[in-house]
Amino acid sequence: MNGWYGKILRVNLTNSTTSVETVDPQFAKDYIGGRGWAIKCLMDGMDPKADALSPENLLIFAAGPLTGSPAPTGNRYMVVTKSPLTGVLTNSNSGGDFPTWMKRTGFDMFIFEGRAERPVYLWINNDQVEIRSAEHIWGKQVPETTDALLAETDGKAKVACIGPAGERLVKAAAIMNDKDRAAARSGVGAVMGSKNLKAVVCQGTHQIGMADRPGMKKLSQSMNQEVGHDSKTSVLRIYGTPYVPDVTNELGILPTRNFQTGRFEGVEKINGPALNESFLIRPGACFRCPIVCNRITKVDAPGYEGEGEGPEYESIGALGSACGVDNLAAITKANYLCNEYGMDTITAGMTIACAMEMCEAGIIPEEEIGYPLKFGDADGMIEFVKKMALREGFGDKLAEGSYALAESYGRPEFSISAKKLEFPGYDPRGAKGMGLLYATSNIGASHMSGDLAYAEVFGTPEKIDPLTIENKPELIKRFEDAFTLIDASGLCVFLAVRYVFDKDVNLWPTRLTELMNLTTGADYTPATLMQAAERVFNLERLFLLEAGVTKADDTLPKRMLEEPLTEGPAAGQVVELDEMLPRFYQVRGWDENGVPTPEKLAELGISA
Amino acid sequence: MNGWYGKILRVNLTNSTTSVETVDPQFAKDYIGGRGWAIKCLMDGMDPKADALSPENLLIFAAGPLTGSPAPTGNRYMVVTKSPLTGVLTNSNSGGDFPTWMKRTGFDMFIFEGRAERPVYLWINNDQVEIRSAEHIWGKQVPETTDALLAETDGKAKVACIGPAGERLVKAAAIMNDKDRAAARSGVGAVMGSKNLKAVVCQGTHQIGMADRPGMKKLSQSMNQEVGHDSKTSVLRIYGTPYVPDVTNELGILPTRNFQTGRFEGVEKINGPALNESFLIRPGACFRCPIVCNRITKVDAPGYEGEGEGPEYESIGALGSACGVDNLAAITKANYLCNEYGMDTITAGMTIACAMEMCEAGIIPEEEIGYPLKFGDADGMIEFVKKMALREGFGDKLAEGSYALAESYGRPEFSISAKKLEFPGYDPRGAKGMGLLYATSNIGASHMSGDLAYAEVFGTPEKIDPLTIENKPELIKRFEDAFTLIDASGLCVFLAVRYVFDKDVNLWPTRLTELMNLTTGADYTPATLMQAAERVFNLERLFLLEAGVTKADDTLPKRMLEEPLTEGPAAGQVVELDEMLPRFYQVRGWDENGVPTPEKLAELGISA
């Protein structure tokens, strides 16, 4: 096959065995790759009701057909598994260099099953696969782990690993690659920790076949130029994602003090210009990426010293404004700590924000925390990031995530989450489509699952009214399917800033279809490619339903549904989810309970 | 003072003493900084007739007032000294991180005089200045030297050093900083080697005063955005300078086989897309730079393995097309070697190209070279880069540069150089202004001294006919002064892609004037700032005249003056230097022998 190798590496950690499976070409095409292949293997290979931290759960690393191709941003991989934080599916995406090196091993996907008796890591050098002891690196932070593994394998290899948070089964634990890049959300690092799998190290010389290599080179070059010259990607190089706080604050949807408001008085201290002037060393990029959105930073401020990558906008929102913290040195330090311990900055920051509000409200007694945890306390925020990662003291409760924390005090409404996954940095009361997305995404409140903020906040492909609910169900279906396609193909969502939807042609992913066909030789049309993405999305929904999700779980916190924002352009607004959800089910071809109809499944070729 | 510290560190290597000098504010303003301050100190402190490799020569590292400021690209320093390659002045510019770290030491400039008895390096940590033994690192290549010095000083410091080429007084030797950045031209590394100075290591916490910090931040932010969104800088991020071979080849001015022609049949194998597809790891940037033009690369091809930065366009031209080499792996490898040995890729490549032509013509006997050195021989090119850097065998002759090489066989016309400095990558027969620049630049054939290719080749600020000589004397004066200003202020010439000349206001550097005033508090107008640059340029000319340069040296090789190009849009063209030069002298206010008139000197406030 072209594009795909059609080879899956299966690693049974319980028995310390590995095997190679070949993939049927029709399956390859029907499920695209990446997130798509992975959900099919997850569905076929495990009981969706299984405990996420049990050996029954499968942990899947999946590259797409465009990962490692010349396509701009063609360098992402997905971690797909059942989430211990949410109890439902997750898929978590990362870039850096690792995804291309993963593809160079000659496999499209790694499936980890079972649990190793003692800590191990996997060393894959082309077809040489070794399960090696990781006892000597267990307990080490991400940078030390990475350096140690490069030293004992091949200095030119690439490493994905967990840190102390993953080892301790912290439900915000991430899988880190290339030290600072994260497949962060939903506790994928805890699943890896539960399997006693410390790291995966990849090196290889395989090159994917290409149906039309000259054509692919030509198209990729021209897209590279277009995306490199695009003003919507240029801003990502100038400021990185930290250009966003100003935008969301202006719209009144910057998460502030656990979403009590959407405007933060300290925004100018934590925005892109502030980061550029204080801590930026230089912009950085994932492998061969023309967008260059990373921030290579260094903090010299006493007490906050460190260096690494970030913070991204989401980390600034969660560790900063959501916690009422306007100290950018502290936010950046906390971001470094999350990377070093291997922990999702969003769940970490938002869970601490939740604890701050509950402590201020007297619901969590200060004595229990052992500290007066209040909004605006930069050093307290940092301290509890550490405690959370290490499950020390009250950190043990934080480590379960905001929903479990709030529920344990009988007040789950303080957790600003959907399906127990903490919200990212867009208050949906001022961006209604995002509310519907958070409620219906297959992994909980993730902007990465169909980021309508592109249109509602940033005007891509064109600006739409963020406050209306009209047409939002239709758009969310479209965006969810499109982002599924990006994830499945192995591209970065930032390419979507320019390419996924061509507004001139009815939101069809025409250029992605060309890339896919030149690479794989499949004769996708924009319609059949979007249908394949819809197939993937629906299969994910079936996994959720089998795991026990019902219509009642497609919801949002009370604050979003009943408490209007009080300032800014969205003052007075809540999310009218009840009005959008039934229409969304209809648009999706699901029944009134959110279950795909037999007709829809037949149309998509999914056998029930 | 603001902008400037007004402090010069003087290091007498003969006596192992250091002293600190303060600068008069009027001098600071009159000579801007960087290249401007340096020529005044050179003029006052040494005999222009002194041997460049003698202890009498001064080696000056000079930062400008905008170095280390928030101004976009405000991160350059200049090396100013008498050149051993050309026998005249040189100023050589570099970026990376070192220039900002240099400024953080609290000094604007370092002046090295005399010669150490044994190898030493300088370690400057704020006001702590130490001359330390470098015997243990003498002989080491640039990366090893850098790592060793970081380990024994401060891992966060920044290093400028020479490699084996500088130690051996190779006249193409560079001073390398941050491993891969080079103050490359005219043999500045040999001057450093002649002083037994292996390296300068900088660390510090000083911050320059700013006349109007909020105003400077605001302007810099807005310029950062403008330059970051500019399509002429975007192409530098997408392809780096390797986007240029296609452009110059199209115009028939890509140096090919020692400038025998301007069109290279192998151009598509050595251009930007080829580099992106084969060896690019990711784009890279100097400190806080929004342009991101560096290429972080890695070569796995057997026999050419290596990693580092580059190649830039100039290196591709010199080591590639000028040598008839279309093997990009070999060019990239040779570029790595030049960086590791510490050697200018332009002089290295062009000198080997000169030797190839003379060998093919039978003027240099093959037996003397010990190798059939012919155009197109990639491995021969690499081999002689090594030999040149180490002065091994025939490499000892190459190490003197193309002019000395060709002259030693009685055929200096085979050296394509001006004032003995090898041409960069624009054949001036197809870009006439560049011909006048090469002939009149104060350092010899340098594009960096007033790069009219911006207008003649790239259309900045607007496209002008490259084949006409009309108005070229006026433009070259304007460009030479403007590039002097950029060098003196501490900015990068790539900012000039957008800013130096605002075509709407008569080619005045209005934005640079604002940056300078906000930083220094000096009340420059665009006119007085350009006049200060003109003052610097004229003082440099006086240095040349005192060193013995005459009108006869303001010339070009016979090939440029008498042998027309044979293909492409510039077929039939030569450089009509005789027609441009008298007018240029006039425009400059110089007499018919190229000597500044007393009136011009009085106007500029230079006392004879």
Side-chain angles (χ1 to χ4, degrees), chain A residues 219-278:
Chain A
L219 177 61
S220 299
Q221 265 179 43
S222 110
M223 288 181 69
N224 246 308
Q225 290 222 35
E226 286 172 10
V227 79
H229 283 305
D230 192 285
S231 69
K232 282 190 177 143
T233 63
S234 289
V235 72
L236 289 168
R237 167 176 42 132
I238 300 167
Y239 293 121
T241 54
Y243 87 95
V244 177
D246 288 329
V247 182
T248 49
N249 191 64
E250 184 66 27
L251 291 176
I253 59 170
L254 174 64
T256 302
R257 287 181 282 277
N258 200 35
F259 290 85
Q260 291 184 82
T261 174
R263 288 221 148 147
F264 184 47
E265 62 287 357
V267 67
E268 287 190 2
K269 298 185 185 171
I270 62 173
N271 64 10
L275 187 67
N276 275 15
E277 280 157 21
S278 47

Side-chain angles (χ1 to χ4, degrees), chain A residues 97 156 217 221 225 228-229 231 234 237 239 273 276-278 280-283 285 287-291 307, chain B residues 97 156 217 221 225 228-229 231 234 237 239 273 276-278 280-283 285 287-291 307:
Chain A
D97 294 340
K156 317 277 192 210
K217 280 192 180 182
Q221 265 179 43
Q225 290 222 35
H229 283 305
S231 69
S234 289
R237 167 176 42 132
Y239 293 121
N276 275 15
E277 280 157 21
S278 47
L280 181 69
I281 296 289
R282 73 191 92 249
F287 187 69
R288 289 189 187 170
C289 181
I291 297 177
E307 55 188 311
Chain B
D97 294 340
K156 317 276 192 210
K217 279 192 181 182
Q221 263 177 45
Q225 289 220 35
H229 283 304
S231 69
S234 289
R237 169 177 38 130
Y239 293 121
N276 276 14
E277 279 158 23
S278 48
L280 181 70
I281 297 290
R282 72 191 91 251
F287 188 68
R288 289 191 187 166
C289 181
I291 297 176
E307 55 188 312

Side-chain angles (χ1 to χ4, degrees), chain A residues 98-176:
Chain A
F98 179 83
T100 292
W101 266 250
M102 178 182 162
K103 198 79 179 270
R104 288 179 180 176
T105 64
F107 297 101
D108 301 295
M109 210 156 89
F110 307 150
I111 301 178
F112 301 99
E113 54 186 31
R115 170 186 285 156
E117 205 172 323
R118 313 281 308 162
V120 297
Y121 76 90
L122 200 74
W123 165 221
I124 313 174
N125 188 1
N126 282 320
D127 309 306
Q128 298 275 84
V129 184
E130 274 182 64
I131 300 173
R132 290 182 171 186
S133 169
E135 304 227 31
H136 58 302
I137 46 172
W138 199 253
K140 281 194 200 296
Q141 294 198 329
V142 170
E144 290 72 32
T145 300
T146 305
D147 288 337
L149 290 176
L150 292 178
E152 69 188 60
T153 57
D154 178 336
K156 317 277 192 210
K158 302 292 174 185
V159 175
C161 69
I162 57 170
E167 296 175 6
R168 285 166 177 75
L169 312 183
V170 170
K171 288 178 180 165
I175 297 174
M176 306 297 299

Side-chain angles (χ1 to χ4, degrees), chain A residues 23-360:
Chain A
V23 170
D24 173 71
Q26 190 62 44
F27 161 80
K29 185 181 167 191
D30 288 348
Y31 288 90
I32 308 171
R35 177 175 159 187
W37 283 22
I39 182 59
K40 186 73 167 78
C41 291
L42 206 66
M43 199 69 175
D44 293 349
M46 71 177 283
D47 176 358
K49 290 192 180 59
D51 179 353
L53 297 180
S54 74
E56 286 81 69
N57 194 5
L58 300 182
L59 175 69
I60 303 182
F61 285 17
L66 299 180
T67 308
S69 82
T73 81
N75 186 46
R76 308 288 297 190
Y77 90 114
M78 302 290 295
V79 177
V80 179
T81 189
K82 183 170 179 182
S83 163
L85 176 68
T86 66
V88 297
L89 179 70
T90 197
N91 43 57
S92 197
N93 187 305
S94 186
D97 294 340
F98 179 83
T100 292
W101 266 250
M102 178 182 162
K103 198 79 179 270
R104 288 179 180 176
T105 64
F107 297 101
D108 301 295
M109 210 156 89
F110 307 150
I111 301 178
F112 301 99
E113 54 186 31
R115 170 186 285 156
E117 205 172 323
R118 313 281 308 162
V120 297
Y121 76 90
L122 200 74
W123 165 221
I124 313 174
N125 188 1
N126 282 320
D127 309 306
Q128 298 275 84
V129 184
E130 274 182 64
I131 300 173
R132 290 182 171 186
S133 169
E135 304 227 31
H136 58 302
I137 46 172
W138 199 253
K140 281 194 200 296
Q141 294 198 329
V142 170
E144 290 72 32
T145 300
T146 305
D147 288 337
L149 290 176
L150 292 178
E152 69 188 60
T153 57
D154 178 336
K156 317 277 192 210
K158 302 292 174 185
V159 175
C161 69
I162 57 170
E167 296 175 6
R168 285 166 177 75
L169 312 183
V170 170
K171 288 178 180 165
I175 297 174
M176 306 297 299
N177 60 276
D178 305 296
K179 291 188 180 171
D180 291 303
R181 311 303 305 173
R185 301 228 68 190
S186 320
V188 291
V191 176
M192 194 154 158
S194 77
K195 298 193 172 310
N196 269 320
L197 179 63
K198 178 69 174 171
V200 178
V201 187
C202 291
Q203 176 64 303
T205 52
H206 288 270
Q207 196 186 27
I208 49 167
M210 199 71 71
D212 177 355
R213 196 173 294 274
M216 182 64 180
K217 280 192 180 182
K218 196 164 163 228
L219 177 61
S220 299
Q221 265 179 43
S222 110
M223 288 181 69
N224 246 308
Q225 290 222 35
E226 286 172 10
V227 79
H229 283 305
D230 192 285
S231 69
K232 282 190 177 143
T233 63
S234 289
V235 72
L236 289 168
R237 167 176 42 132
I238 300 167
Y239 293 121
T241 54
Y243 87 95
V244 177
D246 288 329
V247 182
T248 49
N249 191 64
E250 184 66 27
L251 291 176
I253 59 170
L254 174 64
T256 302
R257 287 181 282 277
N258 200 35
F259 290 85
Q260 291 184 82
T261 174
R263 288 221 148 147
F264 184 47
E265 62 287 357
V267 67
E268 287 190 2
K269 298 185 185 171
I270 62 173
N271 64 10
L275 187 67
N276 275 15
E277 280 157 21
S278 47
F279 309 128
L280 181 69
I281 296 289
R282 73 191 92 249
C286 295
F287 187 69
R288 289 189 187 170
C289 181
I291 297 177
V292 193
C293 71
N294 302 359
R295 304 290 91 182
I296 313 293
T297 55
K298 178 166 177 286
V299 178
D300 286 322
Y304 306 114
E305 294 92 345
E307 55 188 311
E309 283 188 35
E312 299 283 343
Y313 166 63
E314 290 297 341
S315 311
I316 290 174
L319 300 161
S321 54
C323 290
V325 169
D326 65 6
N327 178 336
L328 189 55
I331 294 166
T332 307
K333 177 67 177 181
N335 176 74
Y336 294 155
L337 290 171
C338 285
N339 287 350
E340 289 157 14
Y341 289 120
M343 191 162 67
D344 177 18
T345 56
I346 303 179
T347 288
M350 295 301 185
T351 300
I352 292 169
C354 171
M356 284 174 166
E357 186 179 0
M358 293 179 79
C359 180
E360 285 196 353

Side-chain angles (χ1 to χ4, degrees), chain A residues 156, chain B residues 279 281 296-310 329 332-337 340:
Chain A
K156 317 277 192 210
Chain B
F279 308 129
I281 297 290
I296 314 293
T297 54
K298 180 168 179 283
V299 178
D300 286 322
Y304 306 113
E305 294 91 346
E307 55 188 312
E309 283 187 34
T332 307
K333 176 67 177 180
N335 176 73
Y336 295 154
L337 289 171
E340 288 156 13

Side-chain angles (χ1 to χ4, degrees), chain A residues 280-584:
Chain A
L280 181 69
I281 296 289
R282 73 191 92 249
C286 295
F287 187 69
R288 289 189 187 170
C289 181
I291 297 177
V292 193
C293 71
N294 302 359
R295 304 290 91 182
I296 313 293
T297 55
K298 178 166 177 286
V299 178
D300 286 322
Y304 306 114
E305 294 92 345
E307 55 188 311
E309 283 188 35
E312 299 283 343
Y313 166 63
E314 290 297 341
S315 311
I316 290 174
L319 300 161
S321 54
C323 290
V325 169
D326 65 6
N327 178 336
L328 189 55
I331 294 166
T332 307
K333 177 67 177 181
N335 176 74
Y336 294 155
L337 290 171
C338 285
N339 287 350
E340 289 157 14
Y341 289 120
M343 191 162 67
D344 177 18
T345 56
I346 303 179
T347 288
M350 295 301 185
T351 300
I352 292 169
C354 171
M356 284 174 166
E357 186 179 0
M358 293 179 79
C359 180
E360 285 196 353
I363 296 165
I364 306 181
E366 237 181 76
E367 311 79 66
E368 200 185 327
I369 303 176
Y371 185 89
L373 191 59
K374 301 286 161 62
F375 286 119
D377 178 358
D379 293 332
M381 179 273 291
I382 290 178
E383 195 53 31
F384 281 89
V385 162
K386 290 185 208 165
K387 287 181 184 293
M388 182 174 173
L390 298 174
R391 287 189 177 270
E392 282 177 5
F394 186 70
D396 196 40
K397 282 207 155 180
L398 296 171
E400 296 297 309
S402 66
Y403 190 88
L405 174 73
E407 197 191 30
S408 73
Y409 294 92
R411 303 292 293 272
E413 68 273 19
F414 281 95
S415 166
I416 307 302
S417 60
K419 294 192 180 73
K420 304 183 187 172
L421 185 67
E422 288 72 18
F423 277 24
Y426 304 89
D427 189 317
R429 287 170 291 185
K432 306 289 175 76
M434 293 301 277
L436 181 59
L437 172 69
Y438 295 169
T440 63
S441 141
N442 286 324
I443 73 169
S446 163
H447 58 306
M448 299 283 281
S449 297
D451 201 349
L452 196 65
Y454 279 38
E456 290 187 321
V457 177
F458 305 107
T460 297
E462 56 192 347
K463 186 82 164 82
I464 58 171
D465 181 357
L467 300 182
T468 183
I469 59 170
E470 206 177 330
N471 205 35
K472 293 295 166 73
E474 289 79 358
L475 280 169
I476 286 298
K477 173 190 184 291
R478 203 89 190 142
F479 269 68
E480 283 176 344
D481 290 348
F483 278 67
T484 301
L485 169 57
I486 296 169
D487 287 347
S489 63
L491 299 177
C492 170
V493 295
F494 284 160
L495 195 68
V497 167
R498 181 167 179 112
Y499 279 117
V500 166
F501 289 134
D502 186 338
K503 66 179 169 183
D504 299 330
V505 285
N506 290 321
L507 303 186
W508 284 122
T510 46
R511 302 300 283 279
L512 263 65
T513 308
E514 289 178 66
L515 288 175
M516 286 290 294
N517 287 342
L518 291 167
T519 301
T520 66
D523 53 349
Y524 289 115
T525 64
T528 59
L529 191 55
M530 281 293 269
Q531 193 188 42
E534 190 183 0
R535 181 179 300 120
V536 170
F537 191 89
N538 276 270
L539 190 60
E540 290 177 343
R541 179 71 178 180
L542 294 184
F543 186 96
L544 262 64
L545 295 171
E546 286 195 28
V549 164
T550 69
K551 178 183 179 174
D553 297 303
D554 293 344
T555 190
L556 295 173
K558 194 167 141 250
R559 178 163 290 164
M560 299 298 135
L561 302 175
E562 296 176 14
E563 299 172 19
L565 281 165
T566 56
E567 51 180 335
Q573 300 285 333
V574 295
V575 183
E576 301 94 334
L577 183 63
D578 283 352
E579 297 177 49
M580 291 189 282
L581 197 62
R583 174 69 189 151
F584 174 79

Side-chain angles (χ1 to χ4, degrees), chain B residues 71-337:
Chain B
T73 80
N75 186 47
R76 308 290 296 191
Y77 90 114
M78 301 290 295
V79 177
V80 178
T81 189
K82 184 168 177 180
S83 162
L85 176 68
T86 67
V88 296
L89 179 71
T90 196
N91 43 56
S92 196
N93 186 305
S94 184
D97 294 340
F98 179 81
T100 291
W101 266 249
M102 177 182 163
K103 199 79 180 271
R104 288 179 180 175
T105 64
F107 297 101
D108 301 296
M109 211 156 89
F110 308 149
I111 300 180
F112 301 97
E113 54 185 33
R115 170 187 285 156
E117 205 172 322
R118 313 281 306 162
V120 297
Y121 75 92
L122 199 73
W123 165 221
I124 312 174
N125 188 1
N126 282 319
D127 310 306
Q128 300 275 84
V129 183
E130 275 183 64
I131 300 173
R132 292 183 170 184
S133 167
E135 305 225 32
H136 59 303
I137 45 173
W138 198 255
K140 281 193 198 297
Q141 294 200 328
V142 170
E144 290 72 31
T145 300
T146 305
D147 288 337
L149 291 176
L150 292 178
E152 69 189 59
T153 57
D154 177 337
K156 317 276 192 210
K158 302 293 174 186
V159 175
C161 69
I162 56 171
E167 296 175 7
R168 284 166 177 76
L169 312 182
V170 170
K171 288 178 179 165
I175 299 175
M176 306 298 299
N177 61 276
D178 305 299
K179 291 186 181 174
D180 291 302
R181 311 304 302 172
R185 302 228 68 189
S186 319
V188 292
V191 176
M192 194 154 158
S194 77
K195 297 194 174 307
N196 268 319
L197 179 62
K198 177 71 173 170
V200 179
V201 187
C202 291
Q203 176 63 304
T205 53
H206 287 272
Q207 196 185 26
I208 50 168
M210 199 71 68
D212 178 356
R213 196 172 295 275
M216 182 65 180
K217 279 192 181 182
K218 198 167 160 223
L219 177 61
S220 300
Q221 263 177 45
S222 110
M223 288 180 67
N224 244 309
Q225 289 220 35
E226 285 172 12
V227 80
H229 283 304
D230 193 284
S231 69
K232 282 190 177 143
T233 62
S234 289
V235 72
L236 288 169
R237 169 177 38 130
I238 300 167
Y239 293 121
T241 54
Y243 87 94
V244 177
D246 288 327
V247 183
T248 48
N249 191 65
E250 183 67 26
L251 291 175
I253 60 170
L254 173 65
T256 301
R257 287 181 281 276
N258 200 34
F259 290 85
Q260 292 185 85
T261 174
R263 287 220 150 150
F264 184 47
E265 64 285 359
V267 67
E268 287 190 3
K269 296 185 187 172
I270 62 173
N271 63 8
L275 187 66
N276 276 14
E277 279 158 23
S278 48
F279 308 129
L280 181 70
I281 297 290
R282 72 191 91 251
C286 295
F287 188 68
R288 289 191 187 166
C289 181
I291 297 176
V292 193
C293 71
N294 303 358
R295 305 289 92 183
I296 314 293
T297 54
K298 180 168 179 283
V299 178
D300 286 322
Y304 306 113
E305 294 91 346
E307 55 188 312
E309 283 187 34
E312 299 284 343
Y313 167 63
E314 290 297 341
S315 312
I316 290 174
L319 300 161
S321 55
C323 290
V325 169
D326 65 4
N327 178 337
L328 190 54
I331 295 166
T332 307
K333 176 67 177 180
N335 176 73
Y336 295 154
L337 289 171

